[in-house]
Amino acid sequence: MTRHFLKDTDLSPAELVEVLDLAQAMKADPYAFKPLAGPQTVAIIFDKTSTRTRVSFAAGVAALGGNPLIINPGESQLGHKESIEDSAQVFSRMVSAMVWRTYEQSGLERMAASGSVPVINALSDDYHPCQLLADLLTIREHRGNDSASGVAGLTLSYYGDGANNMAHSYALAGVNAGMHVRIAAPTGHQPAASVVAEAQELARVTGGSLMITDDPVAAAQDADVLVTDTWVSMGQDHAGRDDEDSPFTKYQVTEELMALGHEPIFLHCLPAYRGKEVAAEVIDGPASVVFDEAENRLHAQKALLAWLVERA
Ligand code: CP
Ligand code: NVA
């Protein structure tokens, strides 16, 4: 059966380890793996803008011996002149995998249900699972331990909009890898109940945990990783989210919060807004590994593509 990666938990804990291990091997020998030789084409479709996702998938598909077909917002019939279902069947006749950055998670689910090749979520309103593969790889590299995932037992504290795609993916992917995930977010901006329930269920299997709090100081205590994301996600209205009265202001990652952690590293999926969700001294300081994290999009997604195509 064709496998897809629409959300973080589409990989089991053991499969997540396989993908991370393969990503490390690919990073060590970047041009040694050619599962897309032919070249096979991978469609990489954007309904929202992108730098990292666009470049990393294009470079990654090429490095795997394949041909990346980038489709920018508005360039295809998908979604306006043609249904997701018909588009999925057309793409499936010509490409080996589809990578799609879009709005609604249900669109990705419909694409996967109607096509016959792997579909990868390159960011939706609900999740950003490819980013989390890169983040887990980065944590492994900088704070890794002897556990199977390399990160189990570590504590990751996320600050800011707890209801956005990144927060949801940290909750699911972090717990999937056996981490203790803390989400520090204001009331009204905390993760969806369905995501909390899924992460807590998964925690029983992996030994990880999920804590939701509105207390930024409590969340930082002894944390190994501090992470944040923009207060305004693509497609959201700025109003009230990033002005002086923003509910997120007290969740800015500062040097004071970093000092409460256990020699923490700082992660951010980027693009970042200095002086908003993170102090410049933190993101530009010695604990920041955000550009390793950005590079790891390339290695992690190559591994994911190879893993999925092998099973298609
Ligand atoms: N982190 C991330 O997905 O970046 P882009 O929006 O530039 O792809
Ligand atoms: N939450 C952000 C992530 C960008 C990579 C957004 O959706 O815009």
Side-chain angles (χ1 to χ4, degrees), residues 111-124:
M111 186 76 97
S114 302
S116 53
V117 298
V119 176
I120 294 174
N121 178 359
L123 181 148
S124 66

Side-chain angles (χ1 to χ4, degrees), residues 124-187:
S124 66
D125 291 344
D126 292 351
Y127 305 105
H128 196 2
C130 289
Q131 182 69 52
L132 262 291
L133 294 179
D135 285 28
L136 293 174
L137 184 59
T138 309
I139 298 165
R140 241 192 197 194
E141 288 173 346
H142 288 274
R143 288 289 183 278
N145 57 31
D146 291 338
S147 66
S149 72
V151 299
L154 297 175
T155 296
L156 178 148
S157 299
Y158 171 94
Y159 285 86
D161 183 1
N164 76 6
N165 42 19
M166 285 302 301
H168 285 167
S169 279
Y170 279 117
L172 294 184
V175 171
N176 210 16
M179 298 185 81
H180 303 295
V181 178
R182 301 172 182 165
I183 307 279
T187 309

Side-chain angles (χ1 to χ4, degrees), residues 49-54 101 128 131 234 269-271 297:
T49 53
S50 168
T51 295
R52 275 146 293 275
T53 306
R54 192 178 193 288
R101 167 168 288 194
H128 196 2
Q131 182 69 52
M234 288 180 274
C269 64
L270 306 176
R297 294 292 302 278

Side-chain angles (χ1 to χ4, degrees), residues 9-301:
T9 44
D10 283 348
L11 292 175
S12 71
E15 290 169 344
L16 173 60
V17 171
E18 286 178 20
V19 171
L20 292 175
D21 288 349
L22 184 55
Q24 262 182 326
M26 287 182 164
K27 185 168 183 174
D29 199 354
Y31 303 105
F33 299 79
K34 301 291 178 196
L36 297 177
Q40 299 175 45
T41 294
V42 174
I44 308 162
I45 310 161
F46 291 93
D47 295 344
K48 299 174 176 173
T49 53
S50 168
T51 295
R52 275 146 293 275
T53 306
R54 192 178 193 288
V55 176
S56 58
F57 269 111
V61 168
L64 293 173
N67 169 51
L69 171 63
I70 304 274
I71 300 175
N72 285 312
E75 279 183 357
S76 78
Q77 321 284 25
L78 172 62
H80 53 113
K81 285 190 181 169
E82 193 165 22
S83 69
I84 292 172
E85 285 73 17
D86 282 2
S87 303
Q89 295 206 54
V90 173
F91 277 113
S92 294
R93 299 291 181 104
M94 304 180 197
V95 304
S96 296
M98 288 184 266
V99 177
W100 189 16
R101 167 168 288 194
T102 189
Y103 293 86
E104 294 174 9
Q105 186 70 13
S106 60
L108 285 153
E109 288 162 7
R110 287 167 55 194
M111 186 76 97
S114 302
S116 53
V117 298
V119 176
I120 294 174
N121 178 359
L123 181 148
S124 66
D125 291 344
D126 292 351
Y127 305 105
H128 196 2
C130 289
Q131 182 69 52
L132 262 291
L133 294 179
D135 285 28
L136 293 174
L137 184 59
T138 309
I139 298 165
R140 241 192 197 194
E141 288 173 346
H142 288 274
R143 288 289 183 278
N145 57 31
D146 291 338
S147 66
S149 72
V151 299
L154 297 175
T155 296
L156 178 148
S157 299
Y158 171 94
Y159 285 86
D161 183 1
N164 76 6
N165 42 19
M166 285 302 301
H168 285 167
S169 279
Y170 279 117
L172 294 184
V175 171
N176 210 16
M179 298 185 81
H180 303 295
V181 178
R182 301 172 182 165
I183 307 279
T187 309
H189 298 279
Q190 295 186 334
S194 59
V195 172
V196 175
E198 185 177 356
Q200 286 174 341
E201 180 79 27
L202 187 59
R204 275 189 242 174
V205 178
T206 66
S209 65
L210 176 66
M211 177 182 120
I212 314 289
T213 179
D214 62 2
D215 182 346
V217 171
Q221 301 294 339
D222 297 321
D224 300 288
V225 185
L226 270 69
V227 56
T228 184
D229 184 24
T230 179
W231 296 340
V232 188
S233 286
M234 288 180 274
Q236 285 180 331
D237 189 351
H238 281 243
R241 298 185 74 94
D242 67 349
D243 55 22
E244 280 182 10
D245 297 332
S246 168
F248 303 117
T249 303
K250 76 172 188 172
Y251 299 88
Q252 182 188 86
V253 177
T254 59
E255 288 185 302
E256 290 72 28
L257 281 180
M258 290 290 287
L260 299 174
H262 177 245
E263 299 178 5
I265 53 171
F266 173 76
L267 295 181
H268 191 308
C269 64
L270 306 176
Y273 300 85
R274 289 164 175 80
K276 299 280 189 182
E277 73 270 14
V278 59
E281 298 75 28
V282 173
I283 193 167
D284 298 322
S288 174
V289 293
V290 297
F291 296 111
D292 288 350
E293 180 186 4
E295 179 191 328
N296 282 337
R297 294 292 302 278
L298 171 67
H299 310 298
Q301 290 160 189

